Amino acid sequence: MATDSTANAPGTFAATATERPPVLELRGLHVAYGAIEALKGIDLTVRDGEVVTLLGANGAGKTTTLQTVSGLLRPTNGEVRFRGERVDGLPPHEVVRLGIGQAPEGRRVFPLMTVLENLRMGAYRFRGVPHGDLDRVFTLFPVLAERRNQPAGTLSGGEQQMLAIGRALMTRPSLLLLDEPSMGLAPLIVKQIFDIIREINAQDTTVLLVEQNAAQALKLADRGYVLETGSIVMSAPAAELLSSRRIRAAYLGETAE
């Protein structure tokens, strides 16, 4: 992991002219809910252009990690750095402004608003809705273009997931956080969602993916981390994790020998 000797306050930069910092770096990150410590000093790095997946069982701390990166939670100790800048003291709207977008667990679309109105909410920080951004979302998700005037609550689960990702893309993120995008979806729709994530990454958007579908996530990702009860217990290239007997037993339902 890259390190530096400067203890910067949130909102200051640590980048040097000779070394480009990672897109995202978590250093010794601790997060607690009251007396319960959800993250216990995790270290994690995401580099430009990567897809990195964070695996773990329910309650391992995956969503807590993403919510801390996006500013919804404050760490009790440690640092969150985005392109060398500490962001762990910034409010969520400032984190979005810097280039971090998130599609949350459970989609959380605005059900009474139309598809187009939901997408406009993603572009709230811009004056008007940039047509180029809408065109990108509608090209990735043609069904959203067809249903742009339909209330989001009437969409299928897969369509709502597409809308949640599209809304996050409307913030123009250079780092996209995806929290369980395959949850509750049929296998055919899951494949479609992962194909779209691959295309988003190919369009120069770095991705940090939280996912319980370990097989799909590791086939897509460059690298992976395994989180257990708030601690990183494994980190390796995705292909290495996919071939690990421990990972296959824990997350792919195979018997460890």
Side-chain angles (χ1 to χ4, degrees):
M1 182 188 308
T3 61
D4 63 56
S5 59
T6 305
N8 291 337
T12 62
F13 285 89
T16 68
T18 58
E19 182 179 349
R20 189 175 185 181
V23 173
L24 179 69
E25 191 173 16
L26 310 184
R27 298 181 177 182
L29 194 67
H30 291 257
V31 179
Y33 298 95
I36 307 299
E37 193 169 36
L39 297 180
K40 304 171 183 178
I42 69 170
D43 297 321
L44 182 149
T45 300
V46 181
R47 300 183 183 91
D48 221 353
E50 285 189 312
V51 176
V52 173
T53 188
L54 182 59
L55 305 176
N58 287 334
K62 306 185 304 297
T63 293
T64 296
T65 301
L66 294 194
Q67 290 182 339
T68 305
V69 172
S70 62
L72 295 170
L73 295 174
R74 295 289 180 90
T76 54
N77 205 348
E79 300 179 355
V80 179
R81 289 179 178 263
F82 178 65
R83 300 194 183 280
E85 177 184 5
R86 278 194 66 181
V87 299
D88 47 88
L90 298 179
H93 69 276
E94 288 294 327
V95 175
V96 170
R97 182 184 62 80
L98 289 173
I100 300 176
Q102 180 170 358
E105 181 182 13
R107 299 146 199 157
R108 299 186 189 178
V109 299
F110 300 103
L112 300 181
M113 298 172 65
T114 67
V115 166
L116 185 57
E117 288 168 338
N118 270 267
L119 294 174
R120 284 173 172 163
M121 289 297 292
Y124 75 92
R125 70 187 183 93
F126 304 113
R127 292 186 177 181
V129 179
H131 288 291
D133 295 342
L134 273 177
D135 290 344
R136 179 192 184 195
V137 171
F138 287 152
T139 298
L140 287 166
F141 306 105
V143 68
L144 298 184
E146 296 170 6
R147 304 190 181 185
R148 68 181 71 195
N149 296 317
Q150 185 172 323
T154 65
L155 300 178
S156 69
E159 290 163 352
Q160 288 188 21
Q161 184 61 69
M162 294 174 190
L163 179 55
I165 296 173
R167 185 179 58 193
L169 290 175
M170 292 295 291
T171 70
R172 296 184 187 172
S174 60
L175 172 63
L176 179 62
L177 311 178
L178 297 176
D179 197 350
E180 302 285 7
S182 75
M183 179 183 291
L185 302 182
L188 185 62
I189 302 301
V190 171
K191 181 182 183 304
Q192 186 178 0
I193 292 290
F194 275 86
D195 286 345
I196 291 167
I197 295 170
R198 183 176 288 106
E199 176 61 25
I200 290 168
N201 178 245
Q203 295 176 0
D204 296 325
T205 302
T206 303
V207 177
L208 176 57
L209 170 67
V210 160
E211 182 55 62
Q212 287 195 9
N213 189 331
Q216 289 280 4
L218 290 171
K219 288 175 184 176
L220 172 67
D222 298 291
R223 294 185 300 111
Y225 292 83
V226 180
L227 191 60
E228 292 183 2
T229 60
S231 299
I232 298 290
V233 296
M234 292 183 71
S235 63
E240 183 177 326
L241 290 175
L242 190 58
S243 64
S244 163
R245 290 181 178 178
R246 176 180 176 183
I247 296 302
R248 298 188 73 84
Y251 299 105
L252 303 181
E254 298 183 8
T255 302
E257 298 179 359

